[in-house]
Short mmCIF file of all heavy atoms in Angstrom, two decimals:
data_model
loop_
_atom_site.label_atom_id
_atom_site.label_comp_id
_atom_site.label_asym_id
_atom_site.label_seq_id
_atom_site.Cartn_x
_atom_site.Cartn_y
_atom_site.Cartn_z
N VAL A 1 -12.11 -13.76 14.01
CA VAL A 1 -11.97 -13.06 12.73
C VAL A 1 -11.45 -11.65 13.02
O VAL A 1 -11.93 -10.97 13.92
CB VAL A 1 -13.32 -12.97 11.98
CG1 VAL A 1 -13.17 -12.13 10.71
CG2 VAL A 1 -13.84 -14.36 11.64
N MET A 2 -10.48 -11.23 12.24
CA MET A 2 -9.87 -9.91 12.40
C MET A 2 -10.33 -8.97 11.29
O MET A 2 -10.26 -9.31 10.11
CB MET A 2 -8.34 -10.05 12.37
CG MET A 2 -7.57 -8.79 12.59
SD MET A 2 -5.79 -9.15 12.59
CE MET A 2 -5.12 -7.51 12.77
N ASP A 3 -10.83 -7.83 11.66
CA ASP A 3 -11.23 -6.79 10.71
C ASP A 3 -9.97 -6.05 10.27
O ASP A 3 -9.28 -5.43 11.09
CB ASP A 3 -12.20 -5.83 11.40
CG ASP A 3 -12.99 -4.97 10.43
OD1 ASP A 3 -12.49 -4.73 9.32
OD2 ASP A 3 -14.08 -4.51 10.80
N VAL A 4 -9.62 -6.13 8.97
CA VAL A 4 -8.38 -5.53 8.48
C VAL A 4 -8.68 -4.42 7.47
O VAL A 4 -9.62 -4.52 6.68
CB VAL A 4 -7.44 -6.58 7.86
CG1 VAL A 4 -6.89 -7.49 8.96
CG2 VAL A 4 -8.15 -7.43 6.81
N VAL A 5 -7.85 -3.39 7.51
CA VAL A 5 -8.11 -2.17 6.71
C VAL A 5 -6.87 -1.85 5.89
O VAL A 5 -6.17 -0.85 6.12
CB VAL A 5 -8.50 -0.99 7.62
CG1 VAL A 5 -8.97 0.21 6.79
CG2 VAL A 5 -9.60 -1.40 8.59
N TYR A 6 -6.57 -2.71 4.92
CA TYR A 6 -5.39 -2.49 4.08
C TYR A 6 -5.69 -1.52 2.94
O TYR A 6 -4.80 -1.22 2.15
CB TYR A 6 -4.91 -3.82 3.49
CG TYR A 6 -4.35 -4.78 4.52
CD1 TYR A 6 -5.07 -5.90 4.92
CD2 TYR A 6 -3.09 -4.58 5.08
CE1 TYR A 6 -4.56 -6.79 5.85
CE2 TYR A 6 -2.57 -5.46 6.01
CZ TYR A 6 -3.32 -6.56 6.40
OH TYR A 6 -2.81 -7.45 7.33
N ASN A 7 -6.92 -1.03 2.83
CA ASN A 7 -7.26 -0.19 1.68
C ASN A 7 -6.77 1.25 1.82
O ASN A 7 -6.62 1.95 0.84
CB ASN A 7 -8.78 -0.22 1.46
CG ASN A 7 -9.54 0.46 2.58
OD1 ASN A 7 -9.73 1.67 2.56
ND2 ASN A 7 -9.98 -0.31 3.56
N HIS A 8 -6.55 1.71 3.06
CA HIS A 8 -6.05 3.08 3.25
C HIS A 8 -5.33 3.16 4.58
O HIS A 8 -5.40 2.24 5.39
CB HIS A 8 -7.20 4.10 3.23
CG HIS A 8 -8.05 4.10 4.46
ND1 HIS A 8 -9.14 3.27 4.60
CD2 HIS A 8 -7.94 4.79 5.62
CE1 HIS A 8 -9.69 3.47 5.79
NE2 HIS A 8 -8.98 4.38 6.44
N MET A 9 -4.63 4.28 4.82
CA MET A 9 -4.02 4.53 6.11
C MET A 9 -4.52 5.87 6.65
O MET A 9 -5.12 6.66 5.91
CB MET A 9 -2.49 4.52 6.02
CG MET A 9 -1.93 3.17 5.59
SD MET A 9 -0.15 2.99 5.88
CE MET A 9 -0.11 2.75 7.67
N PHE A 10 -4.29 6.11 7.92
CA PHE A 10 -4.74 7.37 8.52
C PHE A 10 -4.05 8.55 7.86
O PHE A 10 -4.67 9.55 7.53
CB PHE A 10 -4.48 7.37 10.02
CG PHE A 10 -4.83 8.67 10.69
CD1 PHE A 10 -6.15 9.10 10.76
CD2 PHE A 10 -3.84 9.48 11.22
CE1 PHE A 10 -6.48 10.31 11.36
CE2 PHE A 10 -4.16 10.69 11.83
CZ PHE A 10 -5.48 11.10 11.90
N GLU A 11 -2.72 8.42 7.68
CA GLU A 11 -1.96 9.49 7.06
C GLU A 11 -1.68 9.14 5.61
O GLU A 11 -1.57 7.97 5.25
CB GLU A 11 -0.63 9.69 7.81
CG GLU A 11 -0.82 10.19 9.24
CD GLU A 11 0.21 9.59 10.20
OE1 GLU A 11 0.66 8.45 9.95
OE2 GLU A 11 0.53 10.26 11.19
N ALA A 12 -1.56 10.16 4.77
CA ALA A 12 -1.26 9.93 3.36
C ALA A 12 0.25 10.05 3.14
O ALA A 12 0.97 9.05 3.18
CB ALA A 12 -2.03 10.90 2.48
N ALA A 13 0.74 11.24 2.95
CA ALA A 13 2.15 11.43 2.60
C ALA A 13 3.10 11.03 3.73
O ALA A 13 4.27 10.71 3.48
CB ALA A 13 2.40 12.89 2.22
N SER A 14 2.63 11.00 4.99
CA SER A 14 3.54 10.75 6.11
C SER A 14 3.36 9.38 6.76
O SER A 14 3.91 9.14 7.83
CB SER A 14 3.36 11.84 7.18
OG SER A 14 2.02 11.87 7.66
N ASN A 15 2.61 8.47 6.12
CA ASN A 15 2.52 7.14 6.73
C ASN A 15 3.86 6.41 6.60
O ASN A 15 4.76 6.85 5.87
CB ASN A 15 1.36 6.33 6.12
CG ASN A 15 1.58 5.94 4.68
OD1 ASN A 15 2.54 5.28 4.32
ND2 ASN A 15 0.66 6.36 3.80
N VAL A 16 4.02 5.30 7.31
CA VAL A 16 5.33 4.66 7.38
C VAL A 16 5.82 4.19 6.01
O VAL A 16 7.03 4.18 5.75
CB VAL A 16 5.32 3.47 8.37
CG1 VAL A 16 5.17 3.96 9.79
CG2 VAL A 16 4.22 2.47 8.03
N PHE A 17 4.91 3.81 5.13
CA PHE A 17 5.32 3.32 3.81
C PHE A 17 5.78 4.47 2.92
O PHE A 17 6.84 4.40 2.30
CB PHE A 17 4.16 2.57 3.15
CG PHE A 17 3.78 1.31 3.86
CD1 PHE A 17 2.72 1.29 4.75
CD2 PHE A 17 4.49 0.14 3.65
CE1 PHE A 17 2.36 0.12 5.41
CE2 PHE A 17 4.15 -1.03 4.31
CZ PHE A 17 3.08 -1.03 5.20
N GLU A 18 4.97 5.52 2.85
CA GLU A 18 5.35 6.67 2.03
C GLU A 18 6.57 7.39 2.60
O GLU A 18 7.29 8.08 1.87
CB GLU A 18 4.17 7.64 1.92
CG GLU A 18 3.05 7.14 1.00
CD GLU A 18 3.40 7.25 -0.48
OE1 GLU A 18 4.00 8.26 -0.88
OE2 GLU A 18 3.08 6.30 -1.24
N SER A 19 6.85 7.21 3.89
CA SER A 19 8.03 7.83 4.49
C SER A 19 9.32 7.20 3.98
O SER A 19 10.35 7.87 3.89
CB SER A 19 7.98 7.70 6.02
OG SER A 19 6.95 8.52 6.55
N VAL A 20 9.27 5.90 3.65
CA VAL A 20 10.49 5.24 3.16
C VAL A 20 10.57 5.24 1.64
O VAL A 20 11.68 5.15 1.07
CB VAL A 20 10.62 3.80 3.69
CG1 VAL A 20 10.72 3.80 5.21
CG2 VAL A 20 9.47 2.92 3.24
N ALA A 21 9.41 5.33 0.96
CA ALA A 21 9.40 5.33 -0.51
C ALA A 21 8.30 6.26 -1.01
O ALA A 21 7.25 5.81 -1.47
CB ALA A 21 9.18 3.91 -1.04
N PRO A 22 8.53 7.58 -0.90
CA PRO A 22 7.50 8.55 -1.29
C PRO A 22 7.06 8.35 -2.75
O PRO A 22 7.89 8.20 -3.64
CB PRO A 22 8.21 9.90 -1.12
CG PRO A 22 9.30 9.64 -0.13
CD PRO A 22 9.75 8.23 -0.40
N GLY A 23 5.75 8.32 -2.96
CA GLY A 23 5.22 8.21 -4.30
C GLY A 23 4.91 6.80 -4.76
O GLY A 23 4.41 6.60 -5.87
N TYR A 24 5.19 5.80 -3.91
CA TYR A 24 5.01 4.41 -4.36
C TYR A 24 3.81 3.71 -3.74
O TYR A 24 3.02 3.09 -4.46
CB TYR A 24 6.27 3.60 -4.05
CG TYR A 24 6.15 2.15 -4.48
CD1 TYR A 24 6.35 1.79 -5.82
CD2 TYR A 24 5.80 1.15 -3.57
CE1 TYR A 24 6.22 0.46 -6.22
CE2 TYR A 24 5.67 -0.18 -3.97
CZ TYR A 24 5.88 -0.52 -5.29
OH TYR A 24 5.74 -1.82 -5.69
N PHE A 25 3.66 3.75 -2.44
CA PHE A 25 2.72 2.86 -1.76
C PHE A 25 1.27 3.32 -1.83
O PHE A 25 0.36 2.49 -1.74
CB PHE A 25 3.14 2.67 -0.31
CG PHE A 25 4.29 1.73 -0.14
CD1 PHE A 25 5.58 2.20 0.08
CD2 PHE A 25 4.11 0.36 -0.22
CE1 PHE A 25 6.65 1.33 0.24
CE2 PHE A 25 5.17 -0.53 -0.07
CZ PHE A 25 6.44 -0.04 0.17
N CYS A 26 1.02 4.60 -1.98
CA CYS A 26 -0.35 5.09 -2.14
C CYS A 26 -0.65 5.31 -3.62
O CYS A 26 0.21 5.80 -4.37
CB CYS A 26 -0.55 6.41 -1.38
SG CYS A 26 -0.62 6.22 0.41
N ARG A 27 -1.85 4.99 -4.04
CA ARG A 27 -2.23 5.22 -5.43
C ARG A 27 -2.29 6.72 -5.69
O ARG A 27 -2.73 7.51 -4.86
CB ARG A 27 -3.58 4.58 -5.74
CG ARG A 27 -3.55 3.06 -5.75
CD ARG A 27 -4.82 2.48 -6.36
NE ARG A 27 -4.76 1.02 -6.34
CZ ARG A 27 -5.52 0.24 -5.58
NH1 ARG A 27 -6.42 0.79 -4.79
NH2 ARG A 27 -5.39 -1.06 -5.62
N ARG A 28 -1.89 7.09 -6.91
CA ARG A 28 -1.91 8.50 -7.31
C ARG A 28 -2.77 8.67 -8.56
O ARG A 28 -2.89 7.76 -9.38
CB ARG A 28 -0.49 9.01 -7.62
CG ARG A 28 0.51 9.00 -6.47
CD ARG A 28 0.04 9.75 -5.27
NE ARG A 28 1.10 10.31 -4.46
CZ ARG A 28 1.79 9.64 -3.54
NH1 ARG A 28 1.56 8.35 -3.36
NH2 ARG A 28 2.71 10.25 -2.81
N LYS A 29 -3.34 9.85 -8.70
CA LYS A 29 -4.04 10.22 -9.92
C LYS A 29 -3.00 10.66 -10.97
O LYS A 29 -1.81 10.79 -10.66
CB LYS A 29 -5.02 11.35 -9.64
CG LYS A 29 -6.10 11.01 -8.63
CD LYS A 29 -7.00 12.23 -8.40
CE LYS A 29 -8.04 11.94 -7.33
NZ LYS A 29 -8.88 13.15 -7.04
N ALA A 30 -3.47 10.93 -12.17
CA ALA A 30 -2.57 11.34 -13.26
C ALA A 30 -1.81 12.62 -12.91
O ALA A 30 -0.67 12.81 -13.35
CB ALA A 30 -3.36 11.53 -14.56
N ASP A 31 -2.44 13.51 -12.11
CA ASP A 31 -1.78 14.77 -11.76
C ASP A 31 -0.87 14.64 -10.55
O ASP A 31 -0.30 15.62 -10.07
CB ASP A 31 -2.82 15.87 -11.52
CG ASP A 31 -3.74 15.57 -10.34
OD1 ASP A 31 -3.57 14.52 -9.68
OD2 ASP A 31 -4.66 16.39 -10.09
N GLY A 32 -0.73 13.41 -10.02
CA GLY A 32 0.16 13.19 -8.89
C GLY A 32 -0.51 13.28 -7.53
O GLY A 32 0.12 12.96 -6.51
N SER A 33 -1.76 13.71 -7.48
CA SER A 33 -2.46 13.81 -6.20
C SER A 33 -2.92 12.42 -5.75
O SER A 33 -2.97 11.47 -6.54
CB SER A 33 -3.65 14.76 -6.32
OG SER A 33 -4.60 14.27 -7.25
N PHE A 34 -3.28 12.31 -4.49
CA PHE A 34 -3.67 11.02 -3.93
C PHE A 34 -5.04 10.59 -4.44
O PHE A 34 -6.00 11.36 -4.42
CB PHE A 34 -3.71 11.08 -2.41
CG PHE A 34 -2.36 11.15 -1.76
CD1 PHE A 34 -1.83 12.36 -1.35
CD2 PHE A 34 -1.60 10.00 -1.57
CE1 PHE A 34 -0.58 12.44 -0.77
CE2 PHE A 34 -0.36 10.06 -0.98
CZ PHE A 34 0.16 11.27 -0.58
N ALA A 35 -5.14 9.35 -4.89
CA ALA A 35 -6.44 8.76 -5.18
C ALA A 35 -7.20 8.63 -3.86
O ALA A 35 -6.59 8.47 -2.80
CB ALA A 35 -6.28 7.41 -5.85
N ASN A 36 -8.53 8.68 -3.93
CA ASN A 36 -9.29 8.70 -2.68
C ASN A 36 -10.55 7.86 -2.77
O ASN A 36 -11.63 8.28 -2.37
CB ASN A 36 -9.63 10.15 -2.30
CG ASN A 36 -10.21 10.27 -0.90
OD1 ASN A 36 -9.96 9.42 -0.05
ND2 ASN A 36 -10.99 11.30 -0.67
#
C-alpha cells in the first residue's frame, strides 16, 4: 500500500503545477489567497 498526499504540495506558488498554470492547480479563496 502506498501512502499518497495529493491534497497539498510542499510549495504553493512555485510547485510544478502552478509553475505551468499559475492560479489553477491550487485552490484559492475569494480574495485570491491560497486555501489552507
